[in-house]
Amino acid sequence: MCRKRYNLAGDFNDGLAKVELNRKYGYIDTTGREICPIKYDRCFDFSDGLALVKLNGKYGFIDKTGREIIPCKYDWANNFKDGLAVSKLNCKYGFIDKTGREICPCKYDWFEDFSDGLAVVKLNGKYGCIDKTGREICPCKYDWANDFKDGFARVILNGKYGCVNKVGKDVIPCIFEEIIIDRIRNTINFRIKDNGKWGYMNQLGDMVLPCFFDGMWYINETLIYGAYNNRAVIFNIEGEIVSYGNI
């Protein structure tokens, strides 16, 4: 009966469904009761207990009773995840908690989703990262930064790659042409490229194999294949030679 009343009705998800009437949106429960007025310009699925809604060009959030927890005042927002949502106001980004409190004011030029507990942010053309309290772990000084994964993130400064950890320490300085982060046996290692040659560092940023290989690949979790001058060398992850010969 509800589907005949509305122009469109979505599938029920956790007891609620989005509906559309005369180009306005709202939600109904399984009895057909409207939990909020059909007044929004857009409605999104509930996530983390709240739903993102749009009204008069602004975004806010409602709960499952239809109560507007966060007023529609933001220029943009994404869904809540783990109690936090990225928000945008006056062309600047920050993030809020589920009460609407601004954990991080909308001051950044760009804001990535949290990954591994940290979010990459951009300010005045430079990249850094913040934690879920809004504290700046890495200052916005890099030309580029990748999302954190397994406790590390690649960064670029003056055209060179480096790597930082989750406390903001430069584990590898920004002096390399390329860095590949590998997870082997629950341990992080780095393949690094300098002057067109590849080498290998351990999780502490210590050089295990110097950069003189034309290419470097993992054979399995314990062995690394390195090629140079038409010769092949196989190492273990400690950098000890296992075998070598012609390619």
Side-chain angles (χ1 to χ4, degrees):
M1 183 164 58
C2 293
R3 291 186 180 272
K4 293 180 181 178
R5 177 182 173 186
Y6 299 102
N7 300 128
L8 290 172
D11 293 331
F12 281 94
N13 182 15
D14 203 15
L16 298 173
K18 291 184 292 184
V19 293
E20 182 262 324
L21 181 64
N22 300 326
R23 298 186 179 181
K24 295 294 182 179
Y25 295 84
Y27 300 87
I28 58 172
D29 63 19
T30 54
T31 70
R33 183 177 64 90
E34 293 177 358
I35 69 158
C36 67
I38 311 302
K39 68 175 184 177
Y40 294 104
D41 302 320
R42 290 192 71 185
C43 285
F44 298 82
D45 289 334
F46 278 85
S47 176
D48 215 8
L50 297 178
L52 178 65
V53 293
K54 184 180 182 182
L55 182 64
N56 299 324
K58 298 292 185 178
Y59 291 83
F61 292 87
I62 64 172
D63 65 15
K64 290 184 177 181
T65 70
R67 187 164 62 98
E68 202 166 274
I69 302 298
I70 299 170
C72 293
K73 65 177 184 177
Y74 292 102
D75 301 327
W76 176 86
N78 70 355
N79 286 327
F80 274 92
K81 183 179 179 182
D82 298 328
L84 299 172
V86 177
S87 56
K88 181 182 179 183
L89 187 62
N90 299 324
C91 298
K92 298 291 184 178
Y93 292 85
F95 67 93
I96 55 179
D97 66 15
K98 292 171 69 174
T99 69
R101 184 169 65 98
E102 292 186 343
I103 306 299
C104 174
C106 293
K107 66 178 184 178
Y108 291 103
D109 303 322
W110 184 247
F111 202 117
E112 294 286 352
D113 288 334
F114 281 93
S115 175
D116 209 11
L118 297 174
V120 173
V121 293
K122 184 180 181 182
L123 183 63
N124 299 325
K126 296 293 184 178
Y127 292 82
C129 67
I130 62 175
D131 65 15
K132 290 186 176 182
T133 70
R135 185 168 63 98
E136 203 165 88
I137 303 300
C138 298
C140 291
K141 66 177 184 178
Y142 299 103
D143 301 324
W144 174 84
N146 200 18
D147 287 340
F148 274 82
K149 183 179 180 182
D150 296 321
F152 297 92
R154 296 185 303 157
V155 293
I156 295 178
L157 185 61
N158 299 324
K160 296 291 187 178
Y161 281 87
C163 193
V164 296
N165 63 16
K166 292 180 70 174
V167 298
K169 179 184 177 183
D170 289 318
V171 178
I172 301 175
C174 293
I175 58 174
F176 294 102
E177 295 171 10
E178 177 63 283
I179 294 176
I180 299 174
I181 302 176
D182 299 303
R183 183 181 180 90
I184 305 295
R185 284 189 166 184
N186 295 320
T187 300
I188 302 301
N189 301 300
F190 309 97
R191 282 177 286 168
I192 52 175
K193 187 179 183 182
D194 188 30
N195 293 322
K197 301 294 183 179
W198 288 90
Y200 167 69
M201 283 182 166
N202 64 19
Q203 185 166 325
L204 300 176
D206 299 324
M207 187 74 73
V208 178
L209 298 172
C211 294
F212 62 81
F213 294 95
D214 300 319
M216 183 175 287
W217 306 270
Y218 281 94
I219 298 174
N220 53 38
E221 290 187 348
T222 60
L223 297 177
I224 305 167
Y225 176 96
Y228 76 102
N229 295 334
N230 293 318
R231 295 183 67 82
V233 183
I234 297 177
F235 300 88
N236 61 25
I237 58 175
E238 286 76 32
E240 300 166 336
I241 296 176
V242 175
S243 66
Y244 63 91
N246 294 327
I247 297 176

